[in-house]
Amino acid sequence: MGFRHRDFPDHVCLLRKSLYGLKQAPRAWYQRFTDFVLTLGFAQSRCDNSLFIYHHGTDVAYLLIYVDDIILTTSSDKLRESLMGSLSGEFVMKDLGPLSYFLGISVTRTGDRLFLSQSAYARDIIERAGMTTCNPLATPVDTSSKLDLDSGADFDNPTLFRSLAGALQYLTFTRPDIIYAVQQVCMHMHAPKLDHWNALKRIIRYLQGSYHLGLTLDRSSSLDLRAYTDADWAGCPDTRRSTSGYCVYLGDNLISWSSKRQSTISRSSAEAEYRGVANVVAELCWIRNLLLELRRPLTRASIVYCDNISAIYLSGNPVQHQRTKHIELDIHFVHEQVQRGLVRVLHVPSRFQIADIFTKGLPRILFEDFRSSLSIRPPPASTAGV
């Protein structure tokens, strides 16, 4: 920094190769890696630029890269050794063996079951909050009214609040049961109040008794997609915007979930629910396209379960009237998918609406029931003491 040549004070250095710490370095590394794996016969996914797909005859390989961490899975050991040899010849790499740890997520294989856990990361969050001796709670959020902007006096350590809230966001990668509670506290990171801090501490107290839980993935013979979607109409006390949430299952495995405040105010509960349906249908379209690239196309319609009758009627018969004419694009998008036979929107009783866990606080019994439905369970018996 500040280097100046005495003979050429107005000249700048010509960069011949990328260096760590420069903004161009990640892009240069990614481009070099991409160019090389394409020469090996991989094709880059259009749905996810970090995914590379290899299909030659009966040989199949999937390569997923995140910065310099790579997951490679192949249809045979011979193919894996061949690809690893080619990659090691071009880049300095180390084979860490079967997948056990990736980006802070612990992976435990038991037979045909995978257990994804961030228990060590959760314990670290508890320690950072100074709550290692706190009493655990059964739910991460209570059933009372939602937090508003002026919930008590200002919290005296906003940096700690933002640090813990950001850490909890990463924990939701394997803990969808806390995503709604985390979304609620993250909306107040700019000006945290005491009530917001108490809500964050409640999440940590919940983790104190459940940090060992993780996401379970089982072998499934079915590739059918089904989703649950729900919306809490005008739930935000400050903006009156709705909170919508969904979860998507591939076979019996949970693969996608979301809890997010909607971008506009809905004029009715039907509109709020329908916007939630539009969000999950968009996610289903992306997953269907990804499976198509993986040469596992779906032959049957994806099912979306919603507990609002009006939203279901709108998906099949988009009649325009005073309450719906201003959401025309959403109606056309969902209705087109229904007409093409790619999506079906069906009714589910509220008691079995799993997506409720992403939009509101629930009583303990119902919360634990839905949490189990999300495949969030204790670790396998062989690793319970690890």
Side-chain angles (χ1 to χ4, degrees):
M1 180 66 67
F3 172 76
R4 182 185 292 266
H5 197 285
R6 63 182 181 179
D7 297 329
F8 305 101
D10 298 326
H11 285 209
V12 297
C13 294
L14 174 64
L15 183 67
R16 296 188 179 276
K17 62 179 294 185
S18 59
L19 301 174
Y20 280 112
L22 298 183
K23 292 183 178 180
Q24 302 95 327
R27 179 176 291 274
W29 151 248
Y30 173 76
Q31 190 59 51
R32 184 181 173 215
F33 183 85
T34 301
D35 293 340
F36 179 73
V37 296
L38 293 180
T39 64
L40 298 179
F42 282 89
Q44 189 173 18
S45 169
R46 295 183 179 180
C47 295
D48 187 345
N49 289 332
S50 299
L51 175 65
F52 298 88
I53 303 168
Y54 182 94
H55 272 287
H56 288 275
T58 58
D59 290 336
V60 180
Y62 303 131
L63 187 150
L64 188 67
I65 179 172
Y66 182 85
V67 190
D68 57 353
D69 294 313
I70 298 173
I71 296 178
L72 175 65
T73 180
T74 60
S75 57
S76 67
D77 291 337
K78 181 180 179 181
L79 177 61
R80 178 180 56 81
E81 293 170 358
S82 172
L83 293 176
M84 284 299 302
S86 300
L87 291 170
S88 299
E90 181 71 13
F91 307 105
V92 179
M93 289 189 170
K94 183 178 180 181
D95 185 2
L96 300 179
L99 181 63
S100 61
Y101 197 78
F102 187 72
L103 302 181
I105 300 174
S106 173
V107 182
T108 304
R109 180 186 294 273
T110 306
D112 292 332
R113 173 175 295 180
L114 289 179
F115 180 74
L116 310 182
S117 172
Q118 292 173 282
S119 58
Y121 184 69
R123 289 197 300 268
D124 180 61
I125 294 176
I126 298 172
E127 291 178 3
R128 286 165 56 184
M131 299 176 61
T132 54
T133 59
C134 68
N135 295 323
L137 290 177
T139 60
V141 63
D142 57 29
T143 57
S144 61
S145 59
K146 298 185 179 182
L147 300 172
D148 55 33
L149 292 175
D150 299 319
S151 297
D154 292 339
F155 180 54
D156 58 1
N157 194 348
T159 301
L160 175 63
F161 182 93
R162 293 168 187 144
S163 174
L164 292 174
L168 288 171
Q169 278 188 309
Y170 191 72
L171 186 60
T172 60
F173 283 1
T174 59
R175 294 296 299 272
D177 54 326
I178 66 170
I179 191 171
Y180 168 70
V182 173
Q183 181 258 350
Q184 288 293 297
V185 299
C186 284
M187 289 196 301
H188 305 285
M189 292 176 68
H190 60 290
K193 306 290 184 181
L194 284 177
D195 285 356
H196 305 150
W197 171 244
N198 291 331
L200 188 146
K201 287 199 300 182
R202 183 186 176 100
I203 301 175
I204 296 177
R205 291 181 65 187
Y206 168 71
L207 292 177
Q208 174 76 340
S210 64
Y211 66 84
H212 61 290
L213 299 181
L215 188 64
T216 301
L217 301 176
D218 286 315
R219 177 192 291 268
S220 177
S221 59
S222 170
L223 282 182
D224 293 337
L225 276 176
R226 77 180 192 278
Y228 296 82
T229 178
D230 185 55
D232 188 17
W233 180 43
C236 179
D238 299 303
T239 64
R240 308 311 296 175
R241 294 181 183 177
S242 308
T243 300
S244 59
Y246 65 76
C247 55
V248 180
Y249 291 83
L250 179 62
D252 298 325
N253 295 311
L254 180 69
I255 61 170
S256 179
W257 54 88
S258 171
S259 177
K260 189 176 181 180
R261 189 174 64 177
Q262 295 182 1
S263 58
T264 60
I265 298 175
S266 297
R267 300 183 61 199
S268 64
S269 59
E271 180 183 345
E273 295 275 3
Y274 197 76
R275 291 192 186 279
V277 172
N279 290 339
V280 73
V281 169
E283 181 74 2
L284 290 173
C285 290
W286 176 79
I287 295 174
R288 292 181 72 98
N289 289 333
L290 179 61
L291 291 173
L292 185 62
E293 285 191 323
L294 298 177
R295 300 194 181 183
R296 292 294 184 270
L298 300 182
T299 58
R300 291 193 284 189
S302 303
I303 306 298
V304 176
Y305 290 105
C306 175
D307 59 6
N308 186 279
I309 298 295
S310 298
I312 297 172
Y313 286 163
L314 284 174
S315 66
N317 183 26
V319 178
Q320 291 187 355
H321 50 73
Q322 289 295 101
R323 295 289 182 109
T324 61
K325 64 182 181 181
H326 60 290
I327 55 172
E328 177 183 6
L329 288 178
D330 284 339
I331 287 179
H332 282 310
F333 166 69
V334 178
H335 181 60
E336 182 184 61
Q337 300 300 313
V338 173
Q339 277 192 321
R340 293 172 61 187
L342 301 179
V343 173
R344 294 180 61 197
V345 183
L346 303 179
H347 180 261
V348 63
S350 297
R351 172 59 183 84
F352 304 104
Q353 176 54 280
I354 302 173
D356 273 351
I357 200 173
F358 303 121
T359 60
K360 59 181 72 71
L362 299 174
R364 182 181 63 86
I365 300 299
L366 190 59
F367 174 82
E368 292 178 350
D369 185 21
F370 286 164
R371 184 180 67 184
S372 177
S373 299
L374 294 176
S375 299
I376 302 174
R377 302 186 180 113
S382 58
T383 61
V386 177

